[in-house]
Each structure stands twice: as structure tokens, then as C-alpha cells.
Amino acid sequence: EGQGCAQVAGDSVRRAFDAGLIEKMIQRLLDDAKAEAGHKAYCDKEMAETEAKKAEHEEDIEHLDSKIKKGESSKAKLTAEIAELEAELGQIAQSQKEMDGQRSEEHAAYLEAKADYEQGVEGVQMAIKVLKEYYGGSSFVQQPEVSTHSAASGESTGIIGLLEVTESDFSKLLAETEADEKDSEDSYEKQTKANKIAKAEKETSAKYKTKELKDTEAELAELSGDRTSEQSELDAVLDYYSSIKKQCVAKPDSYEERKARREAEINGLKDALEILESQGVGFLSVKSVQSVSYRRRR
């Protein structure tokens, strides 16, 4: 009878030891589950925040790239427009230079022709005057009655008439030359004025476009600096993102799979604990029983 009691007591002690061991295993599994749940919450939070930062920096870079592209397009357009204006200003300057040379030659030719025609008119007028005085005086003083005088008088009239025609021709040529000079001068002045207006307009346009180009280049430099900063921040976020993914994603199985497996282990240990409890292990801690009951309800 004494041996039987000792055996019963030994069995009770063994069952109590096994129950305590099972309880510790259950508690360890519960602690692991709690720790992993905390780790998952940390991972979910860090992954979500990091992905949000990543998306924000990528959006900012995309926006900056769009502005830089637009700025580069404006820069290229302004550069081409300024070059075109400078070429047109060069053409105006060259055209004006050629006009100045041509006008100078035309005016010199005019002055020479005018002098010739004026000299011709003056010479003819002088000849007419001399002839008229000679023949007119001879006729008045001598009053000849012979036919020779009539012949001389008729000849002088023909010469004077010819000289008067020549005078008229010189005068007409002089008038035409002066008219041509005036037309040339008016045309030259009109075109010169147009060139000055066009030059002033194009110089003003080139001035403002050059300023706009400098402003655009300054803005592009600032945008480029902003993009470099954004890229550096994005690179840092991507490095951290890669690191956090290794901690939170690179697992042999998912959190849900590990959770299900752990719950199965806990349930199996709880079943074993209930079996021991039903066999008379009455000195389990209240905390253990409550823990088991609570976990079973869950």
C-alpha cells in the first residue's frame, strides 16, 4: 500500500512537472506571437511610411523633370530666336552699308552731272548772248541793204535757234537729273528710316529675350539643384526601403503562415495541458489555467 501511494505521488509529480513544462512552452509561444505581432506592426508602419515617402519623392522628381524639360525647351527656343534676331540685325546693317555706298556713288554722279549740265547751259546761254549782241548790233548800226547781210542774218538766226534748243536740252537734262536725285534721296531716306525702326525693334526684342534666357537658365540651375537634392533624398529612402524589406519581407514563409502554425502548436499544448489537468494535477497555477482558458476562447 505504501508503494502504491508512492507511485501515485510520483505520477502526480511527473504530471505536474509535465504540466509546468507545457505551460512554459505555451507561454513562450504566446510571447513569440506577441513579439512577432509587434514586429509585424512595426514593419507595416515602416513599410507604409517609407513607401509614402518614396512615392512623394518620385512625384516631386517627376514634377521637377517636367519643369526642367519645359525650361530646356524654352531655352532652346529663346536661343534660336536670339540667333535669328542677331542674323536679321546683321542683314539690316549690311543692307544699310550697301545703301550708304550706293547713295554716296549716286550723289557723287549727280553732282558731276549737275555741274556738267549747268556748265553746258551757262556756256550755251553765253554763246547765244554773244551772237545776239553781235548780229543785233551789226544790223542796227550798218543797216545793210545788200543780200549778203540778209544771208548772214538768216544764218545767225539758225545758229541761235540751234543753241537755244541745246540750252533747252541741257536744262531738261538738269531738271531730270535733279528729279532723279530727289527720288533717290527720298527712297534712301525712307528705307533708312525703315531700317532704323526695324533695327530698334529687333534690338529691343533681342534684349528682352536675352534677359528672359538668363532668367530661364537661372531657373534651370535652381531646378537642377532641387532635383539633385530630391534624388539624394529618394536614394536614401530607397536604401532604407531595401533594408526594411529585408527585415520584413524576405522570410521563408508569410506572417499569416507562421501565425497559423504557432496557433496550432499552442492549441496542441493546451490540449495536452487539459489532459494532465483532467488526470488530477490540481496544483497548476490559477494564472496558467486562466491563460489556457483565455487562449482557448480566442
Side-chain angles (χ1 to χ4, degrees):
E1 183 180 352
Q3 291 178 349
C5 289
Q7 183 176 358
V8 170
D11 291 342
S12 297
V13 170
R14 186 172 61 255
R15 284 194 297 272
F17 177 79
D18 292 342
L21 182 61
I22 291 172
E23 183 182 23
K24 289 181 180 179
M25 293 176 67
I26 291 173
Q27 188 60 48
R28 179 179 60 77
L29 289 171
L30 291 173
D31 291 343
D32 289 346
K34 182 179 179 180
E36 186 162 2
H39 180 67
K40 183 178 185 301
Y42 164 79
C43 285
D44 290 345
K45 177 177 176 295
E46 289 299 311
M47 289 283 287
E49 291 180 352
T50 304
E51 288 174 354
K53 289 180 180 179
K54 173 176 172 289
E56 181 181 352
H57 285 301
E58 287 175 342
E59 182 179 355
D60 289 342
I61 288 176
E62 183 179 357
H63 181 63
L64 286 168
D65 284 341
S66 176
K67 294 181 73 174
I68 289 172
K69 183 178 180 181
K70 183 178 179 180
E72 291 290 353
S73 177
S74 297
K75 178 183 175 182
K77 182 181 178 182
L78 286 168
T79 300
E81 289 175 346
I82 291 170
E84 183 178 355
L85 286 169
E86 290 176 346
E88 290 173 351
L89 285 168
Q91 291 173 355
I92 291 173
Q94 181 62 29
S95 174
Q96 187 63 46
K97 181 180 179 181
E98 293 175 357
M99 283 174 52
D100 292 343
Q102 183 178 354
R103 179 85 277 272
S104 178
E105 291 176 0
E106 288 175 351
H107 186 65
Y110 158 74
L111 292 176
E112 183 178 355
K114 179 183 178 184
D116 290 341
Y117 294 145
E118 286 177 341
Q119 186 177 358
V121 170
E122 184 179 352
V124 171
Q125 287 177 344
M126 183 65 69
I128 292 173
K129 181 180 179 182
V130 170
L131 286 173
K132 282 183 176 181
E133 288 177 350
Y134 173 76
Y135 286 108
S138 174
S139 175
F140 177 77
V141 175
Q142 297 177 6
Q143 295 180 354
E145 296 178 359
V146 295
S147 61
T148 54
H149 177 76
S150 298
S153 178
E155 183 178 352
S156 66
T157 301
I159 294 173
I160 292 173
L162 180 61
L163 289 175
E164 287 176 343
V165 170
T166 302
E167 178 191 5
S168 175
D169 289 342
F170 275 128
S171 297
K172 182 179 179 181
L173 288 171
L174 179 60
E176 289 176 351
T177 300
E178 289 177 339
D180 290 342
E181 169 66 9
K182 187 178 185 304
D183 289 343
S184 296
E185 181 66 19
D186 290 345
S187 177
Y188 169 80
E189 291 295 337
K190 182 179 179 181
Q191 187 59 50
T192 297
K193 184 178 180 180
N195 285 346
K196 286 181 179 179
I197 293 173
K199 179 184 177 185
E201 290 176 346
K202 292 181 185 300
E203 284 177 340
T204 300
S205 180
K207 176 183 176 181
Y208 283 109
K209 287 183 183 295
T210 299
K211 182 181 182 301
E212 187 178 355
L213 176 61
K214 289 181 179 179
D215 292 342
T216 300
E217 289 174 338
E219 183 181 0
L220 281 171
E222 184 177 352
L223 289 170
S224 179
D226 292 344
R227 194 199 184 287
T228 299
S229 298
E230 282 292 337
Q231 187 63 54
S232 297
E233 292 180 19
L234 176 60
D235 291 341
V237 170
L238 290 175
D239 288 342
Y240 181 73
Y241 188 56
S242 176
S243 173
I244 202 70
K245 281 201 298 185
K246 289 179 181 179
Q247 298 179 41
C248 301
V249 177
K251 299 290 183 181
D253 48 16
S254 67
Y255 168 76
E256 286 73 17
E257 292 172 340
R258 294 193 300 278
K259 179 181 177 183
R261 185 168 61 249
R262 189 179 295 109
E263 287 178 350
E265 293 178 10
I266 291 172
N267 289 333
L269 290 172
K270 286 179 179 178
D271 291 341
L273 187 60
E274 288 178 354
I275 291 173
L276 290 174
E277 186 178 8
S278 66
Q279 291 178 356
V281 182
F283 49 84
L284 291 173
S285 67
V286 175
K287 179 180 178 181
S288 298
V289 174
Q290 288 176 343
S291 177
V292 171
S293 300
Y294 173 74
R295 297 301 178 185
R296 291 291 287 179
R297 285 198 301 272
R298 290 185 65 186

